Structures are given as structure tokens and as C-alpha cells.
Amino acid sequence: MNLRILFPLVLICVYLYSSSVYGTYESCCLTYAEKFRESYRKHVKYYRVQEISDSCNRRAIIFYLPRQNLMLCGDPWKTWVKDLQKRIDSRKKKQIFRTRIS
């Protein structure tokens, strides 16, 4: 086999093996936000649930505020986190309902 083909293939295999050994690192919540300003609550566009995995050792709700370029982590057992999740879900349902009517 030609070395020009073999060498890049070996490099690709080594890269793929090393990335699978060390795993992938995602953005994880390491601490929870205790307070969340009301002005921020209005600007939350969506949230994501972080489950416990190999790279994340804490369950959390991650709220995204694109306008402020922020990610805030909330304790899923706190009342304000559950309330904010409900508010975002209801806001999304209203948007879906409005687009279906139009």
C-alpha cells in the first residue's frame, strides 16, 4: 500500500482511539445558582436537563439566556427552578398554538 495513503489513515485511527479513550467533555454545571433575578427570568429562551453521566456528576437544569450570553444552572429540586420551567414550557406552547392558527 502506498505510504501517502497509509500514514494519514494511521493518524486518523490514532486520533479516533485517543478521543474515545479520554471521552468527550461537555459543559457541565458544577454549582447551582441560588438566586435568579426576575429580569433574567424574562429573557430565558429555553432550558436543558443535565443528567448525571461520566463527565457530569450533578443533576441540574441549565437555563440559556442568549441575549446576555449566559448559562445559569439551577437545582432541579428548588421551587423557583420548577416554576421557571413551567413558565418556559407554557410560553413555548403559546408560540406553537399561535403558529398553528396563523
mmCIF file of all heavy atoms in Angstrom, residues 10-29:
data_model
loop_
_atom_site.group_PDB
_atom_site.id
_atom_site.type_symbol
_atom_site.label_atom_id
_atom_site.label_comp_id
_atom_site.label_asym_id
_atom_site.label_seq_id
_atom_site.Cartn_x
_atom_site.Cartn_y
_atom_site.Cartn_z
ATOM 1 N N VAL A 10 -3.438 5.920 9.459
ATOM 2 C CA VAL A 10 -2.938 5.598 10.791
ATOM 3 C C VAL A 10 -3.161 6.781 11.730
ATOM 4 O O VAL A 10 -3.593 6.612 12.880
ATOM 5 C CB VAL A 10 -1.444 5.196 10.743
ATOM 6 C CG1 VAL A 10 -0.849 5.107 12.137
ATOM 7 C CG2 VAL A 10 -1.277 3.877 10.000
ATOM 8 N N LEU A 11 -2.895 7.997 11.258
ATOM 9 C CA LEU A 11 -3.130 9.188 12.081
ATOM 10 C C LEU A 11 -4.599 9.330 12.467
ATOM 11 O O LEU A 11 -4.922 9.650 13.614
ATOM 12 C CB LEU A 11 -2.658 10.444 11.348
ATOM 13 C CG LEU A 11 -1.155 10.675 11.300
ATOM 14 C CD1 LEU A 11 -0.846 11.916 10.496
ATOM 15 C CD2 LEU A 11 -0.589 10.779 12.697
ATOM 16 N N ILE A 12 -5.479 9.087 11.541
ATOM 17 C CA ILE A 12 -6.917 9.176 11.821
ATOM 18 C C ILE A 12 -7.318 8.127 12.854
ATOM 19 O O ILE A 12 -8.072 8.414 13.785
ATOM 20 C CB ILE A 12 -7.734 9.027 10.519
ATOM 21 C CG1 ILE A 12 -7.534 10.267 9.640
ATOM 22 C CG2 ILE A 12 -9.206 8.812 10.822
ATOM 23 C CD1 ILE A 12 -8.111 10.130 8.254
ATOM 24 N N CYS A 13 -6.812 6.914 12.715
ATOM 25 C CA CYS A 13 -7.137 5.858 13.683
ATOM 26 C C CYS A 13 -6.630 6.199 15.079
ATOM 27 O O CYS A 13 -7.337 6.000 16.072
ATOM 28 C CB CYS A 13 -6.554 4.521 13.222
ATOM 29 S SG CYS A 13 -7.374 3.841 11.772
ATOM 30 N N VAL A 14 -5.412 6.723 15.171
ATOM 31 C CA VAL A 14 -4.857 7.106 16.469
ATOM 32 C C VAL A 14 -5.695 8.220 17.084
ATOM 33 O O VAL A 14 -6.005 8.201 18.280
ATOM 34 C CB VAL A 14 -3.374 7.527 16.332
ATOM 35 C CG1 VAL A 14 -2.870 8.203 17.592
ATOM 36 C CG2 VAL A 14 -2.529 6.324 15.978
ATOM 37 N N TYR A 15 -6.097 9.200 16.283
ATOM 38 C CA TYR A 15 -6.915 10.305 16.793
ATOM 39 C C TYR A 15 -8.263 9.803 17.302
ATOM 40 O O TYR A 15 -8.702 10.172 18.385
ATOM 41 C CB TYR A 15 -7.123 11.352 15.695
ATOM 42 C CG TYR A 15 -8.105 12.415 16.087
ATOM 43 C CD1 TYR A 15 -7.746 13.423 16.978
ATOM 44 C CD2 TYR A 15 -9.408 12.402 15.597
ATOM 45 C CE1 TYR A 15 -8.642 14.393 17.361
ATOM 46 C CE2 TYR A 15 -10.306 13.362 15.982
ATOM 47 C CZ TYR A 15 -9.927 14.364 16.859
ATOM 48 O OH TYR A 15 -10.832 15.310 17.244
ATOM 49 N N LEU A 16 -8.921 8.954 16.525
ATOM 50 C CA LEU A 16 -10.221 8.443 16.941
ATOM 51 C C LEU A 16 -10.110 7.600 18.207
ATOM 52 O O LEU A 16 -10.964 7.680 19.094
ATOM 53 C CB LEU A 16 -10.854 7.626 15.817
ATOM 54 C CG LEU A 16 -11.308 8.423 14.601
ATOM 55 C CD1 LEU A 16 -11.791 7.481 13.506
ATOM 56 C CD2 LEU A 16 -12.388 9.415 14.982
ATOM 57 N N TYR A 17 -9.063 6.803 18.321
ATOM 58 C CA TYR A 17 -8.876 5.985 19.516
ATOM 59 C C TYR A 17 -8.611 6.863 20.736
ATOM 60 O O TYR A 17 -9.200 6.648 21.793
ATOM 61 C CB TYR A 17 -7.724 5.006 19.309
ATOM 62 C CG TYR A 17 -7.396 4.232 20.557
ATOM 63 C CD1 TYR A 17 -8.234 3.201 20.982
ATOM 64 C CD2 TYR A 17 -6.290 4.536 21.336
ATOM 65 C CE1 TYR A 17 -7.962 2.496 22.140
ATOM 66 C CE2 TYR A 17 -6.012 3.842 22.493
ATOM 67 C CZ TYR A 17 -6.847 2.824 22.895
ATOM 68 O OH TYR A 17 -6.582 2.137 24.040
ATOM 69 N N SER A 18 -7.763 7.858 20.584
ATOM 70 C CA SER A 18 -7.428 8.703 21.743
ATOM 71 C C SER A 18 -8.625 9.532 22.189
ATOM 72 O O SER A 18 -8.822 9.759 23.375
ATOM 73 C CB SER A 18 -6.248 9.614 21.427
ATOM 74 O OG SER A 18 -6.591 10.538 20.425
ATOM 75 N N SER A 19 -9.451 9.982 21.259
ATOM 76 C CA SER A 19 -10.620 10.763 21.676
ATOM 77 C C SER A 19 -11.653 9.886 22.360
ATOM 78 O O SER A 19 -12.358 10.325 23.257
ATOM 79 C CB SER A 19 -11.230 11.485 20.483
ATOM 80 O OG SER A 19 -11.753 10.558 19.558
ATOM 81 N N SER A 20 -11.754 8.609 21.971
ATOM 82 C CA SER A 20 -12.716 7.725 22.637
ATOM 83 C C SER A 20 -12.212 7.282 24.003
ATOM 84 O O SER A 20 -13.001 7.026 24.900
ATOM 85 C CB SER A 20 -13.024 6.509 21.767
ATOM 86 O OG SER A 20 -11.880 5.698 21.639
ATOM 87 N N VAL A 21 -10.910 7.202 24.185
ATOM 88 C CA VAL A 21 -10.347 6.812 25.479
ATOM 89 C C VAL A 21 -10.586 7.904 26.510
ATOM 90 O O VAL A 21 -10.989 7.644 27.634
ATOM 91 C CB VAL A 21 -8.832 6.506 25.343
ATOM 92 C CG1 VAL A 21 -8.186 6.399 26.707
ATOM 93 C CG2 VAL A 21 -8.629 5.227 24.561
ATOM 94 N N TYR A 22 -10.324 9.126 26.135
ATOM 95 C CA TYR A 22 -10.446 10.230 27.081
ATOM 96 C C TYR A 22 -11.861 10.743 27.192
ATOM 97 O O TYR A 22 -12.172 11.517 28.066
ATOM 98 C CB TYR A 22 -9.500 11.368 26.689
ATOM 99 C CG TYR A 22 -8.059 10.974 26.831
ATOM 100 C CD1 TYR A 22 -7.259 10.807 25.721
ATOM 101 C CD2 TYR A 22 -7.516 10.733 28.080
ATOM 102 C CE1 TYR A 22 -5.943 10.429 25.847
ATOM 103 C CE2 TYR A 22 -6.198 10.345 28.222
ATOM 104 C CZ TYR A 22 -5.415 10.203 27.092
ATOM 105 O OH TYR A 22 -4.119 9.820 27.236
ATOM 106 N N GLY A 23 -12.745 10.337 26.319
ATOM 107 C CA GLY A 23 -14.134 10.752 26.392
ATOM 108 C C GLY A 23 -14.325 12.160 25.857
ATOM 109 O O GLY A 23 -13.395 12.841 25.457
ATOM 110 N N THR A 24 -15.559 12.565 25.851
ATOM 111 C CA THR A 24 -15.876 13.911 25.402
ATOM 112 C C THR A 24 -16.273 14.729 26.605
ATOM 113 O O THR A 24 -16.919 14.230 27.533
ATOM 114 C CB THR A 24 -17.036 13.890 24.390
ATOM 115 O OG1 THR A 24 -18.149 13.257 25.012
ATOM 116 C CG2 THR A 24 -16.661 13.124 23.136
ATOM 117 N N TYR A 25 -15.890 15.973 26.595
ATOM 118 C CA TYR A 25 -16.208 16.851 27.700
ATOM 119 C C TYR A 25 -17.289 17.821 27.255
ATOM 120 O O TYR A 25 -17.151 18.498 26.254
ATOM 121 C CB TYR A 25 -14.965 17.616 28.165
ATOM 122 C CG TYR A 25 -13.936 16.695 28.748
ATOM 123 C CD1 TYR A 25 -12.843 16.279 28.000
ATOM 124 C CD2 TYR A 25 -14.071 16.222 30.037
ATOM 125 C CE1 TYR A 25 -11.915 15.418 28.535
ATOM 126 C CE2 TYR A 25 -13.144 15.355 30.577
ATOM 127 C CZ TYR A 25 -12.064 14.965 29.822
ATOM 128 O OH TYR A 25 -11.159 14.105 30.353
ATOM 129 N N GLU A 26 -18.353 17.862 27.996
ATOM 130 C CA GLU A 26 -19.434 18.779 27.691
ATOM 131 C C GLU A 26 -19.489 19.843 28.770
ATOM 132 O O GLU A 26 -18.840 19.726 29.801
ATOM 133 C CB GLU A 26 -20.748 18.014 27.607
ATOM 134 C CG GLU A 26 -21.032 17.190 28.843
ATOM 135 C CD GLU A 26 -22.226 16.302 28.692
ATOM 136 O OE1 GLU A 26 -23.329 16.783 28.949
ATOM 137 O OE2 GLU A 26 -22.049 15.143 28.305
ATOM 138 N N SER A 27 -20.235 20.878 28.505
ATOM 139 C CA SER A 27 -20.358 21.915 29.526
ATOM 140 C C SER A 27 -21.285 21.407 30.624
ATOM 141 O O SER A 27 -22.441 21.099 30.382
ATOM 142 C CB SER A 27 -20.885 23.206 28.915
ATOM 143 O OG SER A 27 -22.098 22.962 28.264
ATOM 144 N N CYS A 28 -20.754 21.290 31.809
ATOM 145 C CA CYS A 28 -21.490 20.750 32.949
ATOM 146 C C CYS A 28 -21.659 21.818 34.021
ATOM 147 O O CYS A 28 -20.801 22.677 34.184
ATOM 148 C CB CYS A 28 -20.741 19.577 33.568
ATOM 149 S SG CYS A 28 -20.632 18.156 32.522
ATOM 150 N N CYS A 29 -22.735 21.684 34.755
ATOM 151 C CA CYS A 29 -22.954 22.544 35.914
ATOM 152 C C CYS A 29 -22.215 21.938 37.095
ATOM 153 O O CYS A 29 -22.435 20.785 37.450
ATOM 154 C CB CYS A 29 -24.436 22.625 36.243
ATOM 155 S SG CYS A 29 -25.378 23.507 35.013
#
